[in-house]
Amino acid sequence: MKKIFPYLFLLYGTLSFAQLEKGFVYVQDVIPDLDVELRYNTSNNFVGKPIHGYQSNKLILTKETAERLKLVHEELQQQNLCLKVYDGYRPQRAVNHFIVWAKDLNDTVNKQVFYPKVEKRNLFKEQYIASRSGHSRGSTVDLTIINGNTGEALDMGSPFDFFGQESWVNYENITETQKRNRQLLQKVMLKHGFRNYPKEWWHFTLRWEPFPKTYFDFLVE
């Protein structure tokens, strides 16, 4: 029996990783101490319920993205800071869930938290919701910086996934501390090969991503 157990472990271990598409990794295998809180696996998001396709708090990204993110994380740790990730790879079925939700104008359960100044009917027009997301290509990540001792997120001037100008990278009507925090995140991410999205301070995509035209739909599990 002693010879069988290692075989079974290898077998089931292989099966667990076979769920991923080739070229993708579980990021915490690359960055074991990374803080991950996939908001779409919870009800703490603009929809107000877990999103289709998210079945665990497992952060998945392309291998190249995870390796670059590790460099960011290690540089921040030199300042007693760390990364916290809110989303990475996002199945297309999750994007479809957003689309269906956005068309239901009566469902505004989390409006006051996430989009108080935007009419739900305008979410498509103002490009807060789209039919395709770079996240589904596996090399886009939403994140912030946290204090290495307390785990508390640095004040960026607006919450993650807040729909409004307050979330624009260069929004001026925030404090100097909030501006410095945003600039720190931008600087370290851009240094290690990511490009930002000007309307979301938390959103970054790996330059020269490996699947620039492929939108995946495997589960986050």
Side-chain angles (χ1 to χ4, degrees):
M1 292 299 291
K2 291 183 179 179
K3 293 182 180 180
I4 294 176
F5 289 148
Y7 171 76
L8 290 175
F9 177 81
L10 177 61
L11 174 63
Y12 288 111
T14 301
L15 286 176
S16 67
F17 287 101
Q19 303 296 326
L20 289 183
E21 293 281 344
K22 183 177 180 181
F24 286 78
V25 296
Y26 290 106
V27 179
Q28 285 172 299
D29 289 340
V30 179
I31 317 172
D33 58 343
L34 183 66
D35 193 334
V36 175
E37 182 190 342
L38 298 185
R39 289 288 184 86
Y40 302 136
N41 187 52
T42 74
S43 296
N44 184 17
N45 58 62
F46 60 86
V47 174
K49 62 181 65 175
I51 304 304
H52 297 167
Y54 288 83
Q55 298 187 355
S56 73
N57 193 48
K58 294 284 188 179
L59 176 63
I60 298 170
L61 289 168
T62 59
K63 182 175 183 291
E64 294 88 341
T65 306
E67 290 173 346
R68 287 286 180 171
L69 204 62
K70 182 178 182 180
L71 298 178
V72 175
H73 189 66
E74 290 175 344
E75 178 167 335
L76 287 172
Q77 286 182 317
Q78 296 174 14
Q79 304 176 55
N80 199 29
L81 300 169
C82 304
L83 288 174
K84 180 171 186 173
V85 181
Y86 295 122
D87 196 28
Y89 160 71
R90 180 185 304 167
Q92 179 61 41
R93 72 192 70 189
V95 179
N96 296 343
H97 189 174
F98 294 160
I99 294 171
V100 172
W101 168 84
K103 292 179 178 178
D104 181 0
L105 299 183
N106 294 319
D107 182 356
T108 56
V109 63
N110 276 348
K111 177 175 173 56
Q112 292 307 312
V113 177
F114 292 99
Y115 53 107
K117 300 177 184 178
V118 182
E119 292 299 322
K120 192 175 182 182
R121 67 174 64 91
N122 294 328
L123 291 179
F124 282 105
K125 178 181 178 181
E126 299 188 26
Q127 299 182 332
Y128 293 113
I129 302 290
S131 60
R132 289 289 181 93
S133 169
H135 283 275
S136 300
R137 303 194 300 262
S139 295
T140 293
V141 62
D142 294 336
L143 44 67
T144 192
I145 299 173
I146 61 175
N147 183 294
N149 291 328
T150 66
E152 182 178 355
L154 301 191
D155 186 353
M156 295 292 178
S158 78
F160 163 66
D161 251 2
F162 185 84
F163 299 165
Q165 292 187 18
E166 293 86 344
S167 294
W168 294 11
V169 172
N170 293 325
Y171 182 68
E172 287 295 328
N173 195 24
I174 54 177
T175 69
E176 291 303 314
T177 297
Q178 292 165 343
K179 290 178 183 178
R180 285 196 299 271
N181 291 341
R182 288 190 184 191
Q183 290 165 1
L184 173 62
L185 179 60
Q186 297 294 316
K187 180 179 179 180
V188 70
M189 292 296 289
L190 270 60
K191 175 181 177 181
H192 291 288
F194 292 87
R195 66 180 187 273
N196 71 357
Y197 176 51
K199 292 186 177 182
E200 296 178 350
W201 58 257
W202 57 81
H203 181 110
F204 298 88
T205 299
L206 182 69
R207 294 184 182 276
W208 307 290
E209 56 185 302
F211 304 108
K213 297 182 180 180
T214 305
Y215 295 83
F216 295 88
D217 192 39
F218 60 91
L219 296 172
V220 176
E221 59 181 1

